[in-house]
Amino acid sequence: MLELYQLIQLTAIAECGTLSGAAEQLHLSQPALSRSMQKLEDTLQVTLFDRQKNKIHLNRAGELAVAQARRVIQQADDMVEQVRAFDRSQRTVSIGSCAPAPLWELMPLVSQLYPEMAISSELKEPEPLLSGLKTGAYQFIILPHALEDPDFFCFPFEKEQLYFSLPPSHPLSASKGLFFKDIDGESVLLLSQIGFWYRVCRQKMPLTRTLVQTNQEDFQELVQSSALPCFVSNLSMRWSGKPENRLVIPILDPEATAMYHFLCKAENKKKLSPLIQRVKTLSPQLSQL
Amino acid sequence: MLELYQLIQLTAIAECGTLSGAAEQLHLSQPALSRSMQKLEDTLQVTLFDRQKNKIHLNRAGELAVAQARRVIQQADDMVEQVRAFDRSQRTVSIGSCAPAPLWELMPLVSQLYPEMAISSELKEPEPLLSGLKTGAYQFIILPHALEDPDFFCFPFEKEQLYFSLPPSHPLSASKGLFFKDIDGESVLLLSQIGFWYRVCRQKMPLTRTLVQTNQEDFQELVQSSALPCFVSNLSMRWSGKPENRLVIPILDPEATAMYHFLCKAENKKKLSPLIQRVKTLSPQLSQL
DNA sequence: CACAATTACGAGGGTCGTAAAAATG
DNA sequence: CATTTTTACGACCCTCGTAATTGTG
């Protein structure tokens, strides 16, 4: 019976050129390898090596066998990897979101409902989110708008309203409301990992220089110590509190408001119904729309 | 360590749907198969089966594993087949010829020069012979004409001249020479496996009915007992003798004469030089052309 | 009670390593 | 004489089969 370990040994010999070298690489004794290859030749009924008393090397049939063996081994490795990846995907909930705020509510909910599952989340633009939902890369996604499509189940569950966070010294800090264009041109502090908001910010404030901070603590530090404008929202303030020594001024553009929608494949609605029920309890009034 | 026998067992379970059935198909006990699959799950670190106390069936990861296992097994089978086929091809000299007569001289020569090699020969038209020579299906071929091509080494080595074999009772049996058209329309006895001569016969004698005999002895019997014309040649008479009670009349058409050429790949000329030398000794005067 | 799957235990086959032999440069 | 391969022999691992257990329809 042909076995994989024989093929691995064969390819090792092809790489090392010598039995003893391959044996060492395989953590095996030379005699064991010698006998193993003799047995391989028996099962194939083909001589794979030119043997002289003192040296051995692959003949042409052996070279062919090595090439074929590599393919078989590669395929076996692929099998292991694919099965493991599939298994992992079965054990993890993958969430795609256009922005971080919805995840702050959703991830605790998911981990509570599926305590044995791992949770992975990604921030992407709506378009890659949708294609990921189609391919099954995500169990569900969060978009900043509704999507009417019979293939998907979609409902709104949370609203985010953006504000400028300004120091008292800022000339516009007394405003009741501001538009993006009012601040456009000033340098603005931003956190990375804010999803589609970064695109909104760049589009609405094309003249502004964005000082993007990767580290959350660095960002907080800069907000406190600088006079630069930054952004907060109703949701960020719910989770992190109102920034100290700052004035919070609503942004009046319609783009400063996002209505987050939960989307899953229609075929998965039933399986996800426990989660969907819990998500709807977060904001009963929105869900009734 | 993943092994092929485990994959075979896995696919057998997928086909049978039950452990006991698969065990029987594999000529194995159920407990052995049960443990083997547990070990497979260990090495993959993935659960492949839904287990109830009394029944077992593949889960989704298992289904994926089965599909992948089938591919691996198929590839391993292909490897065995390809290596064996290559080995066979290394141990056989494959000759392609447009007619049988050249083989009568060549095959003994080849088997004498390469006593350990098997010999396989095929009769084909020149075109498939050439493509077979290019692909390596033949080590060398015999064409009824020359071929000037730098990729091939080509030389003439034998001439075949066709004759009509007629019974004394035939009206034309006293002729010194005949053309194909003189006999066209009469029924003619033929052997199968005469290569390109069959095409020549059909083209030059389109009105003739050919009575093709597959069996050599049947053919000889019919030649003796019937008054039908048939063909012989200088070469067939050298090997089988002049037919008794028959008159042998040369055919005067140029198509009744073939100059057989030996062709091999130019790159193989050196390797085949012992054979080529021997073939040239068969007819020194031709080889000097 | 027949059937299916798992666990326990002993037997056997196969691969392994060590030791020894043969051959080469 | 060091290196490489092959053969011989004994040890051990691992798979196998039988038997027993549990659970189901």
Side-chain angles (χ1 to χ4, degrees), chain B residues 40-99:
Chain B
L40 176 59
E41 289 175 309
D42 280 352
T43 67
L44 289 177
Q45 300 170 316
V46 172
T47 302
L48 301 178
F49 300 92
D50 284 340
R51 289 183 168 78
Q52 286 133 21
K53 291 294 181 185
N54 197 15
K55 84 183 81 162
I56 194 173
H57 67 93
L58 290 159
N59 63 22
R60 293 174 57 190
E63 298 283 4
L64 175 62
V66 168
Q68 293 290 312
R70 288 208 175 98
R71 294 171 57 87
V72 176
I73 294 167
Q74 180 61 47
Q75 190 123 34
D77 289 345
D78 288 350
M79 167 184 171
V80 174
E81 204 38 61
Q82 285 200 36
V83 172
R84 284 181 182 164
F86 178 80
D87 185 63
R88 263 196 306 277
S89 78
Q90 294 276 97
R91 302 188 180 288
T92 64
V93 179
S94 294
I95 311 171
S97 177
C98 63

Side-chain angles (χ1 to χ4, degrees), chain A residues 21-56:
Chain A
E24 186 173 3
Q25 172 182 326
L26 293 165
H27 305 292
L28 206 66
S29 67
Q30 291 99 335
L33 191 54
S34 177
R35 269 174 292 119
S36 193
M37 290 301 97
Q38 288 169 17
K39 181 168 181 178
L40 175 60
E41 289 175 308
D42 280 351
T43 68
L44 289 177
Q45 301 171 315
V46 172
T47 301
L48 302 177
F49 301 91
D50 284 341
R51 290 182 169 78
Q52 284 132 22
K53 292 294 181 183
N54 198 13
K55 81 183 84 164
I56 195 173

Side-chain angles (χ1 to χ4, degrees), chain A residues 2-5 7 43-46 60-61 64-65 68 71-72 75 79 82-84 86-87 90, chain B residues 2-5 7 43-46 60-61 64-65 68 71-72 75 79-80 82-84 86-87:
Chain A
L2 185 69
E3 287 300 345
L4 275 180
Y5 76 93
L7 304 188
T43 68
L44 289 177
Q45 301 171 315
V46 172
R60 292 174 57 187
L64 175 62
Q68 293 290 312
R71 295 171 58 87
V72 176
Q75 189 124 32
M79 168 183 169
Q82 284 198 37
V83 171
R84 283 181 181 164
F86 178 81
D87 185 63
Q90 294 274 97
Chain B
L2 186 69
E3 287 301 345
L4 276 181
Y5 76 92
L7 303 187
T43 67
L44 289 177
Q45 300 170 316
V46 172
R60 293 174 57 190
L64 175 62
Q68 293 290 312
R71 294 171 57 87
V72 176
Q75 190 123 34
M79 167 184 171
V80 174
Q82 285 200 36
V83 172
R84 284 181 182 164
F86 178 80
D87 185 63

Side-chain angles (χ1 to χ4, degrees), chain A:
Chain A
M1 171 78 72
L2 185 69
E3 287 300 345
L4 275 180
Y5 76 93
Q6 295 173 311
L7 304 188
I8 292 170
Q9 292 171 353
L10 177 66
T11 58
I13 294 173
E15 285 160 18
C16 297
T18 161
L19 268 193
S20 12
E24 186 173 3
Q25 172 182 326
L26 293 165
H27 305 292
L28 206 66
S29 67
Q30 291 99 335
L33 191 54
S34 177
R35 269 174 292 119
S36 193
M37 290 301 97
Q38 288 169 17
K39 181 168 181 178
L40 175 60
E41 289 175 308
D42 280 351
T43 68
L44 289 177
Q45 301 171 315
V46 172
T47 301
L48 302 177
F49 301 91
D50 284 341
R51 290 182 169 78
Q52 284 132 22
K53 292 294 181 183
N54 198 13
K55 81 183 84 164
I56 195 173
H57 66 95
L58 289 160
N59 63 22
R60 292 174 57 187
E63 298 283 3
L64 175 62
V66 168
Q68 293 290 312
R70 289 209 174 97
R71 295 171 58 87
V72 176
I73 293 167
Q74 180 60 48
Q75 189 124 32
D77 289 345
D78 288 352
M79 168 183 169
V80 173
E81 205 37 62
Q82 284 198 37
V83 171
R84 283 181 181 164
F86 178 81
D87 185 63
R88 262 196 306 278
S89 77
Q90 294 274 97
R91 303 188 181 288
T92 63
V93 180
S94 294
I95 311 172
S97 177
C98 62
L103 297 174
W104 301 336
E105 305 239 32
L106 288 174
M107 291 188 58
L109 219 60
V110 169
S111 85
Q112 192 179 351
L113 274 171
Y114 309 102
E116 78 290 357
M117 302 282 273
I119 302 176
S120 103
S121 66
E122 287 182 345
L123 292 178
K124 291 277 177 67
E125 288 288 340
E127 192 169 329
L129 289 177
L130 264 173
S131 61
L133 185 61
K134 285 174 186 162
T135 66
Y138 309 118
Q139 272 75 52
F140 61 91
I141 61 175
I142 309 303
L143 294 184
H145 51 71
L147 185 80
E148 299 299 331
D149 185 323
D151 291 343
F152 299 121
F153 172 67
C154 174
F155 68 93
F157 75 98
E158 199 165 49
K159 187 174 175 178
E160 184 161 27
Q161 163 68 51
L162 228 52
Y163 299 79
F164 281 120
S165 159
L166 300 180
S169 60
H170 195 281
L172 297 173
S173 64
S175 313
K176 294 295 178 199
L178 287 170
F179 290 91
F180 282 116
K181 66 172 165 45
D182 298 327
I183 304 293
D184 190 18
E186 302 185 32
S187 292
V188 171
L189 279 172
L190 278 187
L191 261 176
S192 65
Q193 308 290 344
I194 55 173
F196 81 110
W197 288 123
Y198 183 76
R199 171 174 49 81
V200 169
C201 175
R202 296 303 320 169
Q203 284 175 347
K204 298 300 291 181
M205 303 172 70
L207 304 177
T208 274
R209 198 166 129 226
T210 56
L211 306 172
V212 177
Q213 300 302 306
T214 307
N215 185 295
Q216 172 83 27
E217 292 173 9
D218 292 353
F219 176 78
Q220 295 294 352
E221 176 79 17
L222 284 170
V223 168
Q224 291 301 324
S225 63
S226 79
L228 294 170
C230 68
F231 294 101
V232 294
S233 79
N234 58 328
L235 299 179
S236 80
M237 290 189 288
R238 185 194 298 172
W239 288 89
S240 306
K242 193 158 166 277
E244 299 169 19
N245 303 323
R246 287 261 172 168
L247 296 167
V248 168
I249 300 157
I251 304 178
L252 304 174
D253 307 70
E255 290 88 348
T257 303
M259 181 68 80
Y260 291 123
H261 286 69
F262 177 106
L263 268 90
C264 67
K265 280 186 179 172
E267 62 199 75
N268 289 335
K269 183 183 175 186
K270 191 160 189 175
K271 196 198 300 182
L272 290 174
S273 69
L275 174 64
I276 291 170
Q277 293 308 315
R278 287 294 306 274
V279 173
K280 284 187 172 176
T281 62
L282 292 178
S283 57
Q285 72 288 359
L286 278 181
S287 307
Q288 286 163 13
L289 295 179

